Each structure stands twice: as C-alpha cells, then as structure tokens.
Amino acid sequence: KGKYTLVAAMRGYETVEKKFELKTDNEYLTINFSLKEVLFDVDQIVVTGSKTFKRRTNSPVIVNVIDAKTLNDVQACNLSEGLKFQTGLRVETDCQTCNYTQLRMNGLGGGYSQILINGRPIFSPLTGLYGLEQIPANMIDKIEVVRGGGSALYGSSAIGGTVNVMTKIPDENQYSFSYTYQNINSKTSDHQLAGNGTILTKNKKAGASIFLNYRDRQFYDHNQDNFSELPALKTGAFGTNMFFLPKENQKLEASFSYMNEYRNGGEMLKKAPHLALQSEERTHNVLVGNLDYQINFNQDKTSFIAYAAAQNTTRKHYTDIFPDEAADIIGLKLSSK
C-alpha cells in the first residue's frame, strides 16, 4: 500500500502522469491512459558539449554528428574524407609532395583542433595534423563535432574545435568484408580492403569488435612531368574494442588500435628517395590504447569513471630537393661557414 505516480511515455506522444493510492497490500487497480500525438519532438538529449546531460535546446554548444551510414554513403575510406562533408569544416591539403591534410575549424590551423578517440584526448596535436588519413572509416561508429570557443573545455588544443571519434561497440554477432577499387583519371589505381567483426556472449555481458583496413594507392601524375600530384600511399590498421560487465552497475571497457602509414611523393623514381630531384618520404607507426572502468549508483543518476589512456607515435620523415648548379655552389659556401 502507499501513494504512487504512474508515468506513460512514448516517443511521438505527450507524456501523461497519473497519481493513485493503494490502501491495502492486496488492492488491485486498473488505470487507463490516452496519449495524444505530437507533431514535433525537438527537445532531444545531447550527451556531450558541456560534459553533463542536457536538453539539446538548452545546450550552450552545438554538436553535429556524422554516423557510419553517412560515411558509407559518401564512400569515405578514412576520417579525413568523412569530415569533408560536415558543414563548417575544411579539410585542407597543404603539400603537393606529401599531400598531408589538416582540419581547419573557424579559420584556425590543424594544431588548434583537438582529435578525441572515445572522448579521450590521446591523439596528440602533431598526430592530429598528419593522422586524419590514418584513421580508417570502418573503425568509426560516429563522429561528434563541436565548433567554436566552447570546445576549449576539452583542452588547450581545442581552441578551434573538437572532433570526437567514437569507435564501434559490439551489439550483435556479425562480420563483414569489403573491397573498393578506385581509379584516378585512368592513370592511378587505389585498392582498399576493409573488414569488421563483432562477438557477443549469450548473456551479452561481454563482447568484442575487431576491425582491419588496408589501402594501396600508386603515384598520380596529372601533367606528365614525372612529379607526383598525389603521392604513393600504403596504409594498414587493425584494432579491437572490448567490454565486460562484472555487475549490472559496472562496466569495464578496453580498446587498442595500431595504424601504419607510408607515403612517398615527388619525382616518381623506383629508387631511394635521396636519389630523386625532389622527394618526401614519411612513415608513421601509431599505437593507441585506453582502459575504462565505470560504476553507476544512486539509481544510475550518478556515475564514477576512471580511465587510463596512452598513445605512441614513431615517425620517420625525409625531405630533400636537389638544387641547380648555381644554387648548389651557393649552398656549399653557406655550409662551409
């Protein structure tokens, strides 16, 4: 027995509350609800932007979301190609020799845009500058984009904005493989291989998602001068995202990914880069990992999250130009001083 409030709620309908009282422990009541349809349901929930749960209409920061379906529709093979289709973002190619890309938000360079992996600032500004093409699209579940000064909440590197890459979380047993072939102006081939798989236990208290990606693109010479407009590119990536629920109110999550990128641009010779008149060769090996522990209490109204994250980047970079004879003499004189 006691006083109760019964709430009936459904998306697309107005919420109705009814209060009643049971005077004895064995009393039975029948309560009927009649819900009215609503044409506009715009008061949605946003879970990022100010690090607290807020109604979207009351949020001080606008959060735009790019989901995996959109990435698939535009045939994006990496993070850089996916961000090109987001309003207010500019992915800029700043070097013809190596074709590195940086993300410009609010007119600021790539060093002022923070790249987050699952909400963790474990992608350094240097890696963020060169790493937009290293994150494969089949690793991504969705991308959250925050533009403007409010994004500085995420750190000193987020003055221009923040891009939060959410990796795929296992929700059912499935696997998929895909192969994509692209050809640039009937001159250059681009091969892309991607694979995804997810595994769940029967009680859904543990699961893992696995991804792998490989890409091989040849040199592209647009004007037949034997110098590349697009460099040769080989990338490989694989990783996993796992979770375990020890109890109903606890969650342990771990993720790991490895990304490798090799690119070589300039004079198109099948020789070592230092023998070319102009060349730039770059190799990246990036390791990213994090471990999260979350416990909910107070009827899931309060939560405590502890995490450890790390990123390691190994980078080898070679750039050189052979000057003409006159410039070579001047260079020798300068070097002798």
Side-chain angles (χ1 to χ4, degrees):
K1 64 180 180 179
K3 296 181 179 180
Y4 298 91
T5 301
L6 201 59
V7 181
M10 184 175 180
R11 183 167 297 279
Y13 295 85
E14 292 182 352
T15 300
V16 177
E17 295 184 2
K18 291 189 177 183
K19 297 182 179 180
F20 63 93
E21 181 180 2
L22 295 177
K23 297 182 180 180
T24 63
D25 292 340
N26 297 323
E27 183 180 2
Y28 289 88
L29 292 178
T30 299
I31 300 177
N32 297 317
F33 287 88
S34 179
L35 305 185
K36 295 182 179 179
E37 291 188 13
V38 290
L39 297 178
F40 302 101
D41 187 11
V42 296
D43 204 13
Q44 301 176 7
I45 299 293
V46 63
V47 295
T48 185
S50 57
K51 291 191 176 181
T52 56
F53 291 91
K54 284 183 178 294
R55 296 285 178 181
R56 184 179 179 88
T57 52
N58 297 330
S59 175
V61 179
I62 297 176
V63 181
N64 296 315
V65 178
I66 309 171
D67 57 18
K69 182 179 183 301
T70 302
L71 296 176
N72 185 62
D73 291 342
V74 300
Q75 291 295 299
C77 63
N78 53 51
L79 175 62
S80 174
E81 295 181 0
L83 292 176
K84 291 179 181 178
F85 297 93
Q86 179 58 252
T87 304
L89 304 186
R90 177 183 175 185
V91 179
E92 184 178 87
T93 302
D94 288 338
C95 177
Q96 178 175 319
T97 308
C98 71
N99 273 197
Y100 84 86
T101 58
Q102 63 171 317
L103 175 63
R104 285 192 175 272
M105 304 177 73
N106 292 335
L108 298 176
Y112 297 97
S113 300
Q114 179 71 63
I115 307 296
L116 305 178
I117 305 293
N118 293 325
R120 311 299 186 222
I122 55 179
F123 228 56
S124 67
L126 176 64
T127 309
L129 183 64
Y130 289 101
L132 294 180
E133 293 184 289
Q134 298 173 8
I135 301 178
N138 65 314
M139 165 187 173
I140 302 171
D141 180 53
K142 63 180 177 180
I143 306 170
E144 299 174 342
V145 180
V146 179
R147 304 191 306 270
S151 61
L153 179 70
Y154 295 92
S156 58
S157 299
I159 299 174
T162 299
V163 174
N164 184 23
V165 179
M166 306 295 292
T167 58
K168 293 185 177 181
I169 299 175
D171 54 3
E172 60 179 343
N173 292 322
Q174 62 179 359
Y175 66 90
S176 64
F177 291 95
S178 65
Y179 168 76
T180 304
Y181 174 79
Q182 300 182 34
N183 188 279
I184 306 173
N185 207 17
S186 301
K187 297 179 180 180
T188 297
S189 296
D190 189 352
H191 305 271
Q192 302 167 30
L193 178 66
N196 289 84
T198 57
I199 303 173
L200 279 177
T201 58
K202 291 183 178 180
N203 56 9
K204 295 187 177 182
K205 289 188 176 182
S209 64
I210 303 169
F211 75 90
L212 60 88
N213 184 279
Y214 177 76
R215 183 183 186 188
D216 186 357
R217 186 186 70 196
Q218 303 169 359
F219 288 107
Y220 172 68
D221 181 10
H222 183 71
N223 52 2
Q224 303 297 323
D225 61 354
N226 202 38
F227 284 83
S228 65
E229 270 68 44
L230 292 176
L233 178 65
K234 290 185 179 181
T235 62
F238 67 88
T240 181
N241 191 3
M242 302 171 287
F243 77 90
F244 173 63
L245 306 177
K247 297 181 180 180
E248 291 185 358
N249 64 331
Q250 297 181 25
K251 183 178 182 180
L252 185 65
E253 187 173 354
S255 65
F256 167 81
S257 59
Y258 168 76
M259 291 164 279
N260 170 267
E261 180 193 68
Y262 170 81
R263 62 176 60 211
N264 181 18
E267 187 180 12
M268 300 190 305
L269 297 178
K270 295 182 179 180
K271 298 180 181 180
H274 67 274
L275 299 177
L277 294 177
Q278 177 185 348
S279 66
E280 185 163 356
E281 183 186 51
R282 191 173 72 223
T283 302
H284 275 96
N285 290 289
V286 182
L287 291 170
V288 178
N290 69 279
L291 180 66
D292 289 55
Y293 173 74
Q294 177 177 341
I295 180 171
N296 301 324
F297 46 92
N298 191 22
Q299 296 181 347
D300 291 340
K301 295 180 180 179
T302 308
S303 62
F304 171 79
I305 302 175
Y307 77 93
Q311 176 235 325
N312 179 67
T313 300
T314 303
R315 179 170 178 252
K316 295 181 180 180
H317 196 164
Y318 174 83
T319 303
D320 194 18
I321 297 177
F322 271 88
D324 56 27
E325 185 177 354
D328 193 16
I329 296 174
I330 295 174
L332 290 174
K333 290 181 178 179
L334 290 176
S335 63
S336 65
K337 296 180 181 179

